[in-house]
Amino acid sequence: MLHPLDAAAVRTWCAQALDSLGRARETIDAINVYPVADADTGTNLYLTVESAAQAVEAAAAGDPTTVEAVNAMAHGALIGARGNSGTILAQLLRGMAEVVGEGGDLATALRRAARSANAAVAHPVAGTILTVAAAAADAAEVAATDDADPAVVSRAAWAGARRALAETPEQLGVLADAGVVDAGGYGLVAVLGALVTALTGERTPPPAPAPTHCPRPRVDHSGAAGTVGPAYEVIYLLDATEEAVARLRGRLDALGDSLVVVGGDGLWNVHVHVDDAGAAVEAGVEAGRPHRIRITHFDRLGEQPAPTPEPVARAVVAVVPGDGLAALCAEAGATVLTTRAGEPPASGELAAAVTRAHAREVILLPGSAELRHPAAAAAEQARAAGLRVAIVPTRSPVQNLAALAVHEPSRRFDEDVVAMTAAAGATRFGELAVAEHRSWTTAGVCEAGDLLGMIDGDVAVIGRELFETATAVLDRMLAAGGELVTVVLGTDVDRALADRLEQHVRRGHLGVDTLVYTGRQSAPLLIGVE
């Protein structure tokens, strides 16, 4: 079944692209040898699309038009772009959004995307993601007859990109030497394949990571990142005028290489490899207002890292939505990543938290179903750095608390993970949230401002009064039995409500204990039943 390129398709495209890059991330990282063999292109593309998908999901709450959805995707990619390929992908999406906003067709959008991305790179090189993007646009234009469906055009663009990807080793010697195709181009093929899926429902096969028509000599690229080229990757967002950015391009081009500047309308994403990271940031300050500055040091061959403290044997990283919950988890010995409502952490933030725990073995508690893929990507990043990481698939902060309660560092790692997983799995979780707009739920139609009583992620009760809704949720959760109720109070929720709930449990459910905590999360109440 074919689908139009509308807001729903854009949302599906983002979700499918994120899923495809999540599955291909390790492969893409493994074949990353250009421009720097730092094995992070797949991760950077995933983080870029993750930011785009989050922006589209946020826009979806307001029933967006196609133009609004595509603009959200492009803006999310721009502010979250990572690395050389991620920054170029952000510009590709921006070029497409410009054409969609003008009412143009998919083939025209792909052509604008390829041209704008090529213009954003200071020194374009054949055999890279730019070449693959141009080939996709060429194939799309051939397929774009007057009555061509976007699905047909997308399929042609994907096929053209896939053919071009297979030819990249013939255009770029470092790829032929390593016996691989271009990593950024591989990621773009995955993104275009996700577009085909969104418009047709058909799954596209992944491209081969290595060509079959060139030799695969044993080449050691482990030191390639440090033997030549600048020492630092510098990325920042920049508020500046086009005139100031034009001057900035010239200055940064003189400082280093791999320069890519994307964006427009006053907001830009700047990416460059330099030896003097401070000078690159200072150039941004002179051009406008740089923010979200990220500086990464490329490991150099022969350099000895500074001595670091000996890591602890094991740590737990818990993701929680309020500072009260954060204090509870920290008191239990966890490294805590605190989130804000509507701003789930990206996998890069999760990976940084795992690293910050400074342990040889790390157990990650995501505390939310929507963090399943980011947590998996973060764990893979940490494993690539030599850490032993396991994820306990908690779906609520109360499951984090249950898992931490049985955590025992003296046990074998696998035994500890199993015990924590069992404790989390034995904890049913509920939540009271406020509906933001009128919508259909599994419990019926809710209006804006209604209280939604959710059990295990599904809406079970719709109410207007906090105590009544909470007791209805509690009674349903305890109908299947339970020994311990955990109540976590949100911001501005009176402790007196917890006392009333505790009395309700004591009266109606003999032998059930109640624990009350102040979590200060945005949701009025979190409930756990063990």
Side-chain angles (χ1 to χ4, degrees), residues 478 481-486 502-515 529-530:
L478 287 168
E483 299 176 355
L484 176 66
V485 170
T486 301
E502 188 171 1
Q503 292 171 9
H504 176 83
V505 172
R506 188 181 301 117
R507 286 194 304 267
H509 305 277
L510 298 177
V512 177
D513 294 325
T514 304
L515 292 175
V529 174
E530 299 178 45

Side-chain angles (χ1 to χ4, degrees), residues 50-70:
E50 182 179 51
S51 180
Q54 289 174 351
V56 171
E57 286 300 312
D63 192 22
T65 63
T66 303
V67 173
E68 290 170 338
V70 174

Side-chain angles (χ1 to χ4, degrees), residues 300-312:
R300 287 186 177 276
L301 189 65
E303 286 189 355
Q304 296 299 318
T308 57
E310 183 68 20
V312 298

Side-chain angles (χ1 to χ4, degrees), residues 105-179:
D105 59 19
L106 180 57
T108 305
L110 289 168
R111 175 57 66 197
R112 176 81 63 84
R115 287 175 176 165
S116 61
N118 199 74
V121 177
H123 302 284
V125 174
T128 64
I129 186 174
L130 298 174
T131 304
V132 176
D138 291 342
E141 287 179 340
V142 172
T145 59
D146 291 338
D147 57 349
D149 188 278
V152 174
V153 175
S154 70
R155 194 181 290 112
W158 168 78
R162 200 164 187 259
R163 289 191 297 269
L165 176 66
E167 296 171 358
T168 54
E170 299 173 2
Q171 301 165 304
L172 195 55
V174 66
L175 301 179
D177 290 343

Side-chain angles (χ1 to χ4, degrees), residues 208-261:
T212 58
H213 55 274
C214 76
R216 292 177 54 86
R218 295 177 60 87
V219 179
D220 180 11
H221 289 277
S222 60
T227 53
V228 294
Y232 297 95
E233 177 185 61
V234 178
I235 304 174
Y236 50 79
L237 293 179
L238 179 69
D239 298 328
T241 64
E242 290 193 16
E243 293 78 9
V245 168
R247 293 191 295 272
L248 176 66
R249 288 178 191 269
R251 183 167 177 184
L252 291 179
D253 193 26
L255 284 174
D257 59 29
S258 297
L259 174 61
V260 185
V261 182

Side-chain angles (χ1 to χ4, degrees), residues 195-207:
L195 178 59
V196 174
T197 302
L199 295 178
T200 68
E202 302 171 3
R203 287 278 184 180
T204 56

